[in-house]
Every structure is written in structure tokens, then in C-alpha cells.
Amino acid sequence: YLGGELSGNGGQQTRSETTMTPADGATGCSQDRKAGDNEGVSEGCEDASAKREVKISRSGCFRSVSVRWACRISDWDPGRGDFGAALALLDEAEAKRVCRFRFFNDAKRSLLGRLLIRKLLKDVMGMKSSSADLRRTDKGRPFLLNPSASPILELKAGLDFNVSHHGDWVILVAESNFRVGCDVMCVERPGRGPVTDFFRNMKANFSDTEWRYVSTSSGGERGQLTRFMRLWTLKETYVKTIGTGLSVAPKRLSFELPPNGTTKADSACYTPDVAAAAAAIANEQQRRPKRRLTSDFLARSDEDETASKVVVRKQQQRLQQQSKAEVKPELSGDTKKNNTSTNSSTKPAPSAVPLYIVDGELKVDGMPLVVGTLVEGLSASMPVFRCSAGAFDTSTLWSVGIEIDPEKVPDTAGSKSVEKAIEDSLRKEFTLLKPEALLNSLLLTSHSS
């Protein structure tokens, strides 16, 4: 297992017409958009008010509320007070899992993944942490046991969500009307041995078609490693979407990617300059000692508790002052949009390889994965599962998978409507969140409630 954890399902869903307000990075479908306020709304669907409320109807405009968030652990260097305050937002079992990590960065990745789930519950589902009952399936997949506690009618049956982390990155994806999975992975040589030994040990996990794709000479060793990692992210994304993890043998899955297809965009990760820089960074990282998560760091004193409360109180006072200073009446739609976009805690995630929709075919046990008779009213040849992919930087690949869920697709949707909704979800870009701002927002909500 080469990275990623925490897939989740918010529960089974039935649909009825409703109105909801998406958070940063969450988009959906609506029917009456005001001029100048169309950011993140699908073409042909319109905003219902200046609050960017989203209306999703069972008939007509079939869409899914989509969330794509990303954090960098290098953007966060918490002291004992902040780290302890973040742990306090989790339940006891989750906090213990985070504290079992040996190294500090591993603990930060795990902790931020869990904080992103809290943000999803708070900002998208509109739920307080005290009212959310997070559980795990027997496969270890987290899910929300009581999505009906959400005040958003359309989300009372839950969101399907998934979290992955590796290297410097932690990501969360969520969908209201599809199953969703994700994976993020560093392009790096695992361990200290040669890449040839690593490939020899891992080849059994790939089909002959996949291994021919990996073994092409383009980009040399770095190119082969990139193609290997790309295929592995796609396999991980699929098994995390369906919720089985790697209990499904990876060789049963075969992504047949054309050599000159969309994945050729990944070549930005293995140009000669990139390969040389990556090798130098890898050598430096191997020499640098890893920071350990020590027991003395985790120990919290009464002074830490007091300091954390003081910080939260000051943040609350500052936010209250800002809110009083804002001019609220008679703002135009454009002004409101601009005010929203200047939020310094969020911005588009970087993209060394821009988002693309993978054009290869997925086969399971040699058979194409298509709808068949699964959903009435949809074309039998429509793929059940599709992926988008990209890279945050030249050493970090990501992929997102969308799978049709028969229980969430109305009989009246039709193939074109579902295909459009899938493509809209696949083209949803990641929003970069600042870990410190993420923690502060959750702390403020926790203390105010």
C-alpha cells in the first residue's frame, strides 16, 4: 500500500428538490443564476440568489454537488498548543490513531485528513461536530451514520467522500450523486534499492498491457516511474471508490491507456531538468533526519490549554470586528463575488500537470466495466467508472474517480444528462486550503458552540 487512507460514504441517498449553499470548493447545479455570480456553476444552470444557493431537482437538471480540497503539510508547523487543540477536535479513538505515528509529518497528514472531514461536515453539510456520528465499515471506510441530522434537505442522505495523503499533500473529494474516490502519490523511488528491483517485485500487480505502458522508454527511468505511479494511483482510486481497498487484487484491474493519450500530459513530470532536480531532492531527503512525534511534544499542560483558549478568543474578537466593519447593504453581485474571491485562506491548487480526463478503458477480470442493465434508461455501453488526473507539482500525481451509483440516478435522467454530470464532476478543480485557517475555523465553531 503506497499511500492514502480514509475513504468514506455519507450514507444512501434519495433525492427531492431542495436548496443548499455550497462552501469554498463545493459546486452544484441551480436554475436561476444572477449575472456576474456564476463562478463554479455548470453551464445551463443558474444561481437562485446572491448567496449562491444551489437548487438540485430530481427531474431536469441532474448534477452532483462536488468538493475538491487540498492542503500542504509544509504549510503547517504547529506547536504543542495548536497540535493538541487539533487533536481535541477528534474523538478519542481517532486522536489515538494519529498519536501512534512515529514521525511528525505522518501524524500531520493523518490529522489534516481528519480535519478536512470535519470541515466537510461543517461547511457543506451544515452540521456541528457534536451532532455528527462518524463511524467505520468493517473494511475501515469512514461514513456518517446520521446524515439526516444535516439541515440541507438534499444532503440528508449524505455525501460520498474520500481522503488521501502522501508526501506533502492531503486531499479530500466528495460527491452527492456519485460514488467517489481519490489518490495522491509522490513520484519517488521507494526505499534505497534500484528501481529495477522495485519493478521486479511489483510487476505481478499489473496486466501485460499496463506493463508495456510502464516500460516504454520515453523519459528514461524517471518516465517509467511516473507511468508506474500514474497507473497505481488509478488502481487505488478505483478500489477506494468502491470501498474495498486493496482487498481486490490490483492485477484484476487493467487500465488500458493509449501511449499518446491524455496521460502524455504527465511527461511534464519527467523532463531531463525535472528528473535531475528530483534526484537531488531525494538524495537530500534521505540524508535529512526525520522529525519524530515524541511523547513530550504530545503532552499538554494547563498553560497550553489556556494559551489555546486565548488565541481562539482573540480570533473571535477579530472576526467580530471585521464583520461589523463590512458594508453589507446594496452590494452588487460582482462586488459580492469579488469579496468572496479575496479570501486569503483559499485559492486554486497549483497544477504542474493541469487536470485532464483519462481516456483509457478500465477492465476488471478482462471485461470492460460498463453500465449494461445496471441503470434503466442509460446506455448499456456507458462506462460505470471514469477518472480525472493531474499533478500538483512535478513530483506529486493525483487522480479522482467517479462511479455511477444506481440508487442515486433517477430513471428519468437519461444518458446525456448523466454523462454531462459526470464530466462536470471530473472537471472540478482542487481548492488549496491553508491548514492554519482550516484549524482556526474549526476551533472557532467548536468554542462558539
Side-chain angles (χ1 to χ4, degrees), residues 365-401:
D365 296 329
M367 300 294 293
L369 202 63
V370 295
V371 170
T373 59
L374 193 64
V375 183
E376 184 179 348
L378 298 188
S379 169
S381 61
M382 180 187 296
V384 172
F385 177 81
R386 294 182 67 193
C387 277
S388 59
F392 294 123
D393 52 58
T394 54
S395 290
T396 311
L397 307 177
W398 61 262
S399 63
V400 174

PDB file of all heavy atoms in Angstrom, residues 365-401:
ATOM      1  N   ASP A 365     -11.092  -8.117 -14.475  1.00  0.00           N
ATOM      2  CA  ASP A 365     -11.024  -9.529 -14.894  1.00  0.00           C
ATOM      3  C   ASP A 365     -11.198  -9.666 -16.402  1.00  0.00           C
ATOM      4  O   ASP A 365     -11.857 -10.595 -16.895  1.00  0.00           O
ATOM      5  CB  ASP A 365     -12.090 -10.357 -14.160  1.00  0.00           C
ATOM      6  CG  ASP A 365     -11.849 -10.399 -12.657  1.00  0.00           C
ATOM      7  OD1 ASP A 365     -10.674 -10.337 -12.248  1.00  0.00           O
ATOM      8  OD2 ASP A 365     -12.833 -10.490 -11.904  1.00  0.00           O
ATOM      9  N   GLY A 366     -10.614  -8.702 -17.135  1.00  0.00           N
ATOM     10  CA  GLY A 366     -10.628  -8.759 -18.590  1.00  0.00           C
ATOM     11  C   GLY A 366     -11.880  -8.237 -19.250  1.00  0.00           C
ATOM     12  O   GLY A 366     -11.960  -8.180 -20.483  1.00  0.00           O
ATOM     13  N   MET A 367     -12.887  -7.825 -18.471  1.00  0.00           N
ATOM     14  CA  MET A 367     -14.152  -7.357 -19.029  1.00  0.00           C
ATOM     15  C   MET A 367     -14.298  -5.855 -18.833  1.00  0.00           C
ATOM     16  O   MET A 367     -14.021  -5.338 -17.740  1.00  0.00           O
ATOM     17  CB  MET A 367     -15.328  -8.068 -18.360  1.00  0.00           C
ATOM     18  CG  MET A 367     -15.310  -9.575 -18.521  1.00  0.00           C
ATOM     19  SD  MET A 367     -15.527 -10.078 -20.248  1.00  0.00           S
ATOM     20  CE  MET A 367     -17.219  -9.550 -20.510  1.00  0.00           C
ATOM     21  N   PRO A 368     -14.740  -5.124 -19.878  1.00  0.00           N
ATOM     22  CA  PRO A 368     -14.973  -3.681 -19.720  1.00  0.00           C
ATOM     23  C   PRO A 368     -16.029  -3.413 -18.657  1.00  0.00           C
ATOM     24  O   PRO A 368     -17.018  -4.149 -18.544  1.00  0.00           O
ATOM     25  CB  PRO A 368     -15.462  -3.243 -21.108  1.00  0.00           C
ATOM     26  CG  PRO A 368     -15.023  -4.318 -22.036  1.00  0.00           C
ATOM     27  CD  PRO A 368     -15.035  -5.591 -21.243  1.00  0.00           C
ATOM     28  N   LEU A 369     -15.821  -2.362 -17.875  1.00  0.00           N
ATOM     29  CA  LEU A 369     -16.748  -2.008 -16.798  1.00  0.00           C
ATOM     30  C   LEU A 369     -17.765  -1.016 -17.359  1.00  0.00           C
ATOM     31  O   LEU A 369     -17.524   0.187 -17.416  1.00  0.00           O
ATOM     32  CB  LEU A 369     -15.977  -1.394 -15.629  1.00  0.00           C
ATOM     33  CG  LEU A 369     -16.646  -1.434 -14.257  1.00  0.00           C
ATOM     34  CD1 LEU A 369     -16.839  -2.874 -13.797  1.00  0.00           C
ATOM     35  CD2 LEU A 369     -15.814  -0.682 -13.244  1.00  0.00           C
ATOM     36  N   VAL A 370     -18.916  -1.529 -17.798  1.00  0.00           N
ATOM     37  CA  VAL A 370     -19.946  -0.687 -18.421  1.00  0.00           C
ATOM     38  C   VAL A 370     -21.262  -0.852 -17.669  1.00  0.00           C
ATOM     39  O   VAL A 370     -21.443  -1.759 -16.862  1.00  0.00           O
ATOM     40  CB  VAL A 370     -20.132  -1.040 -19.912  1.00  0.00           C
ATOM     41  CG1 VAL A 370     -18.873  -0.715 -20.698  1.00  0.00           C
ATOM     42  CG2 VAL A 370     -20.505  -2.512 -20.080  1.00  0.00           C
ATOM     43  N   VAL A 371     -22.216   0.035 -17.973  1.00  0.00           N
ATOM     44  CA  VAL A 371     -23.495   0.065 -17.264  1.00  0.00           C
ATOM     45  C   VAL A 371     -24.300  -1.207 -17.490  1.00  0.00           C
ATOM     46  O   VAL A 371     -24.856  -1.783 -16.551  1.00  0.00           O
ATOM     47  CB  VAL A 371     -24.313   1.306 -17.687  1.00  0.00           C
ATOM     48  CG1 VAL A 371     -25.737   1.215 -17.159  1.00  0.00           C
ATOM     49  CG2 VAL A 371     -23.639   2.569 -17.175  1.00  0.00           C
ATOM     50  N   GLY A 372     -24.378  -1.663 -18.757  1.00  0.00           N
ATOM     51  CA  GLY A 372     -25.192  -2.837 -19.056  1.00  0.00           C
ATOM     52  C   GLY A 372     -26.640  -2.589 -18.673  1.00  0.00           C
ATOM     53  O   GLY A 372     -27.247  -1.590 -19.062  1.00  0.00           O
ATOM     54  N   THR A 373     -27.199  -3.486 -17.855  1.00  0.00           N
ATOM     55  CA  THR A 373     -28.593  -3.334 -17.400  1.00  0.00           C
ATOM     56  C   THR A 373     -28.663  -2.762 -15.987  1.00  0.00           C
ATOM     57  O   THR A 373     -29.705  -2.831 -15.337  1.00  0.00           O
ATOM     58  CB  THR A 373     -29.300  -4.700 -17.426  1.00  0.00           C
ATOM     59  OG1 THR A 373     -28.589  -5.612 -16.569  1.00  0.00           O
ATOM     60  CG2 THR A 373     -29.346  -5.261 -18.833  1.00  0.00           C
ATOM     61  N   LEU A 374     -27.563  -2.182 -15.526  1.00  0.00           N
ATOM     62  CA  LEU A 374     -27.476  -1.709 -14.145  1.00  0.00           C
ATOM     63  C   LEU A 374     -28.464  -0.596 -13.838  1.00  0.00           C
ATOM     64  O   LEU A 374     -29.071  -0.561 -12.779  1.00  0.00           O
ATOM     65  CB  LEU A 374     -26.044  -1.228 -13.866  1.00  0.00           C
ATOM     66  CG  LEU A 374     -25.640  -0.976 -12.417  1.00  0.00           C
ATOM     67  CD1 LEU A 374     -25.684  -2.265 -11.618  1.00  0.00           C
ATOM     68  CD2 LEU A 374     -24.243  -0.370 -12.362  1.00  0.00           C
ATOM     69  N   VAL A 375     -28.603   0.363 -14.791  1.00  0.00           N
ATOM     70  CA  VAL A 375     -29.464   1.518 -14.573  1.00  0.00           C
ATOM     71  C   VAL A 375     -30.421   1.652 -15.752  1.00  0.00           C
ATOM     72  O   VAL A 375     -29.983   1.824 -16.895  1.00  0.00           O
ATOM     73  CB  VAL A 375     -28.647   2.821 -14.418  1.00  0.00           C
ATOM     74  CG1 VAL A 375     -29.586   3.991 -14.124  1.00  0.00           C
ATOM     75  CG2 VAL A 375     -27.611   2.679 -13.325  1.00  0.00           C
ATOM     76  N   GLU A 376     -31.713   1.604 -15.466  1.00  0.00           N
ATOM     77  CA  GLU A 376     -32.712   1.748 -16.516  1.00  0.00           C
ATOM     78  C   GLU A 376     -32.640   3.147 -17.119  1.00  0.00           C
ATOM     79  O   GLU A 376     -32.503   4.140 -16.412  1.00  0.00           O
ATOM     80  CB  GLU A 376     -34.104   1.517 -15.923  1.00  0.00           C
ATOM     81  CG  GLU A 376     -35.219   1.550 -16.956  1.00  0.00           C
ATOM     82  CD  GLU A 376     -36.580   1.285 -16.337  1.00  0.00           C
ATOM     83  OE1 GLU A 376     -36.623   0.857 -15.167  1.00  0.00           O
ATOM     84  OE2 GLU A 376     -37.601   1.520 -17.027  1.00  0.00           O
ATOM     85  N   GLY A 377     -32.673   3.206 -18.443  1.00  0.00           N
ATOM     86  CA  GLY A 377     -32.661   4.490 -19.135  1.00  0.00           C
ATOM     87  C   GLY A 377     -31.283   4.959 -19.563  1.00  0.00           C
ATOM     88  O   GLY A 377     -31.170   5.940 -20.290  1.00  0.00           O
ATOM     89  N   LEU A 378     -30.215   4.261 -19.119  1.00  0.00           N
ATOM     90  CA  LEU A 378     -28.862   4.639 -19.520  1.00  0.00           C
ATOM     91  C   LEU A 378     -28.347   3.681 -20.582  1.00  0.00           C
ATOM     92  O   LEU A 378     -28.709   2.498 -20.610  1.00  0.00           O
ATOM     93  CB  LEU A 378     -27.910   4.628 -18.322  1.00  0.00           C
ATOM     94  CG  LEU A 378     -28.204   5.591 -17.180  1.00  0.00           C
ATOM     95  CD1 LEU A 378     -27.060   5.576 -16.171  1.00  0.00           C
ATOM     96  CD2 LEU A 378     -28.441   7.002 -17.692  1.00  0.00           C
ATOM     97  N   SER A 379     -27.464   4.179 -21.438  1.00  0.00           N
ATOM     98  CA  SER A 379     -26.872   3.365 -22.480  1.00  0.00           C
ATOM     99  C   SER A 379     -26.087   2.206 -21.864  1.00  0.00           C
ATOM    100  O   SER A 379     -25.298   2.398 -20.924  1.00  0.00           O
ATOM    101  CB  SER A 379     -25.939   4.216 -23.340  1.00  0.00           C
ATOM    102  OG  SER A 379     -25.162   3.402 -24.200  1.00  0.00           O
ATOM    103  N   ALA A 380     -26.286   1.010 -22.390  1.00  0.00           N
ATOM    104  CA  ALA A 380     -25.622  -0.170 -21.846  1.00  0.00           C
ATOM    105  C   ALA A 380     -24.107  -0.094 -21.986  1.00  0.00           C
ATOM    106  O   ALA A 380     -23.377  -0.708 -21.203  1.00  0.00           O
ATOM    107  CB  ALA A 380     -26.146  -1.428 -22.540  1.00  0.00           C
ATOM    108  N   SER A 381     -23.619   0.669 -22.976  1.00  0.00           N
ATOM    109  CA  SER A 381     -22.173   0.746 -23.218  1.00  0.00           C
ATOM    110  C   SER A 381     -21.493   1.880 -22.455  1.00  0.00           C
ATOM    111  O   SER A 381     -20.283   2.070 -22.569  1.00  0.00           O
ATOM    112  CB  SER A 381     -21.906   0.924 -24.713  1.00  0.00           C
ATOM    113  OG  SER A 381     -22.494   2.127 -25.190  1.00  0.00           O
ATOM    114  N   MET A 382     -22.268   2.651 -21.664  1.00  0.00           N
ATOM    115  CA  MET A 382     -21.675   3.754 -20.908  1.00  0.00           C
ATOM    116  C   MET A 382     -20.737   3.211 -19.830  1.00  0.00           C
ATOM    117  O   MET A 382     -21.096   2.303 -19.086  1.00  0.00           O
ATOM    118  CB  MET A 382     -22.770   4.604 -20.246  1.00  0.00           C
ATOM    119  CG  MET A 382     -22.239   5.786 -19.438  1.00  0.00           C
ATOM    120  SD  MET A 382     -23.544   6.644 -18.514  1.00  0.00           S
ATOM    121  CE  MET A 382     -24.536   7.264 -19.872  1.00  0.00           C
ATOM    122  N   PRO A 383     -19.506   3.763 -19.703  1.00  0.00           N
ATOM    123  CA  PRO A 383     -18.607   3.319 -18.637  1.00  0.00           C
ATOM    124  C   PRO A 383     -19.201   3.609 -17.260  1.00  0.00           C
ATOM    125  O   PRO A 383     -19.776   4.674 -17.033  1.00  0.00           O
ATOM    126  CB  PRO A 383     -17.336   4.148 -18.872  1.00  0.00           C
ATOM    127  CG  PRO A 383     -17.411   4.585 -20.294  1.00  0.00           C
ATOM    128  CD  PRO A 383     -18.868   4.746 -20.592  1.00  0.00           C
ATOM    129  N   VAL A 384     -19.074   2.664 -16.351  1.00  0.00           N
ATOM    130  CA  VAL A 384     -19.546   2.856 -14.986  1.00  0.00           C
ATOM    131  C   VAL A 384     -18.598   3.758 -14.209  1.00  0.00           C
ATOM    132  O   VAL A 384     -19.008   4.513 -13.333  1.00  0.00           O
ATOM    133  CB  VAL A 384     -19.684   1.494 -14.269  1.00  0.00           C
ATOM    134  CG1 VAL A 384     -19.979   1.673 -12.784  1.00  0.00           C
ATOM    135  CG2 VAL A 384     -20.780   0.667 -14.912  1.00  0.00           C
ATOM    136  N   PHE A 385     -17.304   3.690 -14.546  1.00  0.00           N
ATOM    137  CA  PHE A 385     -16.268   4.378 -13.776  1.00  0.00           C
ATOM    138  C   PHE A 385     -15.384   5.185 -14.720  1.00  0.00           C
ATOM    139  O   PHE A 385     -14.939   4.691 -15.755  1.00  0.00           O
ATOM    140  CB  PHE A 385     -15.415   3.346 -13.032  1.00  0.00           C
ATOM    141  CG  PHE A 385     -14.275   3.929 -12.250  1.00  0.00           C
ATOM    142  CD1 PHE A 385     -14.483   4.482 -10.995  1.00  0.00           C
ATOM    143  CD2 PHE A 385     -12.984   3.921 -12.752  1.00  0.00           C
ATOM    144  CE1 PHE A 385     -13.428   5.010 -10.262  1.00  0.00           C
ATOM    145  CE2 PHE A 385     -11.925   4.445 -12.032  1.00  0.00           C
ATOM    146  CZ  PHE A 385     -12.153   4.991 -10.776  1.00  0.00           C
ATOM    147  N   ARG A 386     -15.140   6.460 -14.329  1.00  0.00           N
ATOM    148  CA  ARG A 386     -14.225   7.306 -15.107  1.00  0.00           C
ATOM    149  C   ARG A 386     -13.342   8.096 -14.158  1.00  0.00           C
ATOM    150  O   ARG A 386     -13.690   8.309 -12.988  1.00  0.00           O
ATOM    151  CB  ARG A 386     -15.009   8.258 -16.017  1.00  0.00           C
ATOM    152  CG  ARG A 386     -15.796   7.554 -17.114  1.00  0.00           C
ATOM    153  CD  ARG A 386     -16.488   8.563 -17.997  1.00  0.00           C
ATOM    154  NE  ARG A 386     -15.541   9.355 -18.763  1.00  0.00           N
ATOM    155  CZ  ARG A 386     -15.851  10.461 -19.423  1.00  0.00           C
ATOM    156  NH1 ARG A 386     -17.087  10.926 -19.390  1.00  0.00           N
ATOM    157  NH2 ARG A 386     -14.944  11.121 -20.098  1.00  0.00           N
ATOM    158  N   CYS A 387     -12.196   8.534 -14.681  1.00  0.00           N
ATOM    159  CA  CYS A 387     -11.197   9.218 -13.845  1.00  0.00           C
ATOM    160  C   CYS A 387     -10.769  10.547 -14.446  1.00  0.00           C
ATOM    161  O   CYS A 387     -10.725  10.708 -15.672  1.00  0.00           O
ATOM    162  CB  CYS A 387      -9.933   8.359 -13.706  1.00  0.00           C
ATOM    163  SG  CYS A 387     -10.029   7.103 -12.445  1.00  0.00           S
ATOM    164  N   SER A 388     -10.425  11.479 -13.568  1.00  0.00           N
ATOM    165  CA  SER A 388      -9.644  12.652 -13.951  1.00  0.00           C
ATOM    166  C   SER A 388      -8.309  12.559 -13.224  1.00  0.00           C
ATOM    167  O   SER A 388      -8.175  11.832 -12.240  1.00  0.00           O
ATOM    168  CB  SER A 388     -10.366  13.950 -13.607  1.00  0.00           C
ATOM    169  OG  SER A 388     -10.621  14.023 -12.218  1.00  0.00           O
ATOM    170  N   ALA A 389      -7.322  13.288 -13.727  1.00  0.00           N
ATOM    171  CA  ALA A 389      -5.974  13.189 -13.158  1.00  0.00           C
ATOM    172  C   ALA A 389      -5.230  14.494 -13.369  1.00  0.00           C
ATOM    173  O   ALA A 389      -5.650  15.367 -14.126  1.00  0.00           O
ATOM    174  CB  ALA A 389      -5.213  12.021 -13.797  1.00  0.00           C
ATOM    175  N   GLY A 390      -4.104  14.621 -12.697  1.00  0.00           N
ATOM    176  CA  GLY A 390      -3.246  15.795 -12.816  1.00  0.00           C
ATOM    177  C   GLY A 390      -2.076  15.660 -11.865  1.00  0.00           C
ATOM    178  O   GLY A 390      -1.816  14.581 -11.314  1.00  0.00           O
ATOM    179  N   ALA A 391      -1.349  16.756 -11.677  1.00  0.00           N
ATOM    180  CA  ALA A 391      -0.222  16.764 -10.738  1.00  0.00           C
ATOM    181  C   ALA A 391      -0.134  18.145 -10.110  1.00  0.00           C
ATOM    182  O   ALA A 391      -0.159  19.161 -10.815  1.00  0.00           O
ATOM    183  CB  ALA A 391       1.084  16.419 -11.450  1.00  0.00           C
ATOM    184  N   PHE A 392      -0.044  18.179  -8.770  1.00  0.00           N
ATOM    185  CA  PHE A 392       0.108  19.456  -8.076  1.00  0.00           C
ATOM    186  C   PHE A 392       1.474  20.067  -8.366  1.00  0.00           C
ATOM    187  O   PHE A 392       1.613  21.267  -8.552  1.00  0.00           O
ATOM    188  CB  PHE A 392      -0.062  19.266  -6.567  1.00  0.00           C
ATOM    189  CG  PHE A 392      -1.449  18.858  -6.171  1.00  0.00           C
ATOM    190  CD1 PHE A 392      -1.663  17.695  -5.460  1.00  0.00           C
ATOM    191  CD2 PHE A 392      -2.550  19.631  -6.510  1.00  0.00           C
ATOM    192  CE1 PHE A 392      -2.943  17.313  -5.076  1.00  0.00           C
ATOM    193  CE2 PHE A 392      -3.830  19.264  -6.144  1.00  0.00           C
ATOM    194  CZ  PHE A 392      -4.023  18.090  -5.420  1.00  0.00           C
ATOM    195  N   ASP A 393       2.490  19.225  -8.344  1.00  0.00           N
ATOM    196  CA  ASP A 393       3.841  19.633  -8.699  1.00  0.00           C
ATOM    197  C   ASP A 393       4.454  18.481  -9.489  1.00  0.00           C
ATOM    198  O   ASP A 393       3.810  17.443  -9.688  1.00  0.00           O
ATOM    199  CB  ASP A 393       4.677  19.983  -7.457  1.00  0.00           C
ATOM    200  CG  ASP A 393       4.665  18.885  -6.414  1.00  0.00           C
ATOM    201  OD1 ASP A 393       5.060  17.741  -6.755  1.00  0.00           O
ATOM    202  OD2 ASP A 393       4.274  19.143  -5.256  1.00  0.00           O
ATOM    203  N   THR A 394       5.681  18.637  -9.955  1.00  0.00           N
ATOM    204  CA  THR A 394       6.267  17.623 -10.836  1.00  0.00           C
ATOM    205  C   THR A 394       6.617  16.329 -10.117  1.00  0.00           C
ATOM    206  O   THR A 394       7.081  15.382 -10.752  1.00  0.00           O
ATOM    207  CB  THR A 394       7.523  18.180 -11.529  1.00  0.00           C
ATOM    208  OG1 THR A 394       8.431  18.685 -10.535  1.00  0.00           O
ATOM    209  CG2 THR A 394       7.157  19.293 -12.500  1.00  0.00           C
ATOM    210  N   SER A 395       6.390  16.272  -8.818  1.00  0.00           N
ATOM    211  CA  SER A 395       6.652  15.035  -8.074  1.00  0.00           C
ATOM    212  C   SER A 395       5.416  14.505  -7.355  1.00  0.00           C
ATOM    213  O   SER A 395       5.530  13.579  -6.557  1.00  0.00           O
ATOM    214  CB  SER A 395       7.773  15.261  -7.045  1.00  0.00           C
ATOM    215  OG  SER A 395       9.020  15.426  -7.690  1.00  0.00           O
ATOM    216  N   THR A 396       4.228  15.070  -7.619  1.00  0.00           N
ATOM    217  CA  THR A 396       3.022  14.645  -6.909  1.00  0.00           C
ATOM    218  C   THR A 396       1.851  14.491  -7.871  1.00  0.00           C
ATOM    219  O   THR A 396       1.284  15.479  -8.337  1.00  0.00           O
ATOM    220  CB  THR A 396       2.635  15.640  -5.792  1.00  0.00           C
ATOM    221  OG1 THR A 396       3.773  15.932  -4.985  1.00  0.00           O
ATOM    222  CG2 THR A 396       1.542  15.051  -4.924  1.00  0.00           C
ATOM    223  N   LEU A 397       1.495  13.237  -8.158  1.00  0.00           N
ATOM    224  CA  LEU A 397       0.366  12.926  -9.021  1.00  0.00           C
ATOM    225  C   LEU A 397      -0.897  12.760  -8.191  1.00  0.00           C
ATOM    226  O   LEU A 397      -0.843  12.329  -7.035  1.00  0.00           O
ATOM    227  CB  LEU A 397       0.613  11.621  -9.784  1.00  0.00           C
ATOM    228  CG  LEU A 397       1.908  11.489 -10.587  1.00  0.00           C
ATOM    229  CD1 LEU A 397       1.993  10.097 -11.203  1.00  0.00           C
ATOM    230  CD2 LEU A 397       1.998  12.556 -11.665  1.00  0.00           C
ATOM    231  N   TRP A 398      -2.043  13.092  -8.774  1.00  0.00           N
ATOM    232  CA  TRP A 398      -3.323  12.819  -8.130  1.00  0.00           C
ATOM    233  C   TRP A 398      -4.303  12.273  -9.155  1.00  0.00           C
ATOM    234  O   TRP A 398      -4.155  12.487 -10.363  1.00  0.00           O
ATOM    235  CB  TRP A 398      -3.906  14.070  -7.456  1.00  0.00           C
ATOM    236  CG  TRP A 398      -4.199  15.226  -8.385  1.00  0.00           C
ATOM    237  CD1 TRP A 398      -3.420  16.311  -8.623  1.00  0.00           C
ATOM    238  CD2 TRP A 398      -5.369  15.392  -9.216  1.00  0.00           C
ATOM    239  NE1 TRP A 398      -4.015  17.148  -9.538  1.00  0.00           N
ATOM    240  CE2 TRP A 398      -5.213  16.600  -9.907  1.00  0.00           C
ATOM    241  CE3 TRP A 398      -6.517  14.629  -9.419  1.00  0.00           C
ATOM    242  CZ2 TRP A 398      -6.167  17.062 -10.823  1.00  0.00           C
ATOM    243  CZ3 TRP A 398      -7.472  15.087 -10.320  1.00  0.00           C
ATOM    244  CH2 TRP A 398      -7.285  16.300 -11.005  1.00  0.00           C
ATOM    245  N   SER A 399      -5.304  11.547  -8.681  1.00  0.00           N
ATOM    246  CA  SER A 399      -6.404  11.124  -9.547  1.00  0.00           C
ATOM    247  C   SER A 399      -7.691  11.088  -8.743  1.00  0.00           C
ATOM    248  O   SER A 399      -7.683  10.883  -7.521  1.00  0.00           O
ATOM    249  CB  SER A 399      -6.128   9.743 -10.171  1.00  0.00           C
ATOM    250  OG  SER A 399      -6.032   8.756  -9.165  1.00  0.00           O
ATOM    251  N   VAL A 400      -8.803  11.312  -9.426  1.00  0.00           N
ATOM    252  CA  VAL A 400     -10.141  11.291  -8.826  1.00  0.00           C
ATOM    253  C   VAL A 400     -11.015  10.396  -9.692  1.00  0.00           C
ATOM    254  O   VAL A 400     -11.013  10.510 -10.919  1.00  0.00           O
ATOM    255  CB  VAL A 400     -10.752  12.706  -8.753  1.00  0.00           C
ATOM    256  CG1 VAL A 400     -12.200  12.641  -8.271  1.00  0.00           C
ATOM    257  CG2 VAL A 400      -9.929  13.602  -7.846  1.00  0.00           C
ATOM    258  N   GLY A 401     -11.757   9.490  -9.062  1.00  0.00           N
ATOM    259  CA  GLY A 401     -12.630   8.584  -9.786  1.00  0.00           C
ATOM    260  C   GLY A 401     -14.095   8.826  -9.456  1.00  0.00           C
ATOM    261  O   GLY A 401     -14.448   9.112  -8.315  1.00  0.00           O
TER     262      GLY A 401
END
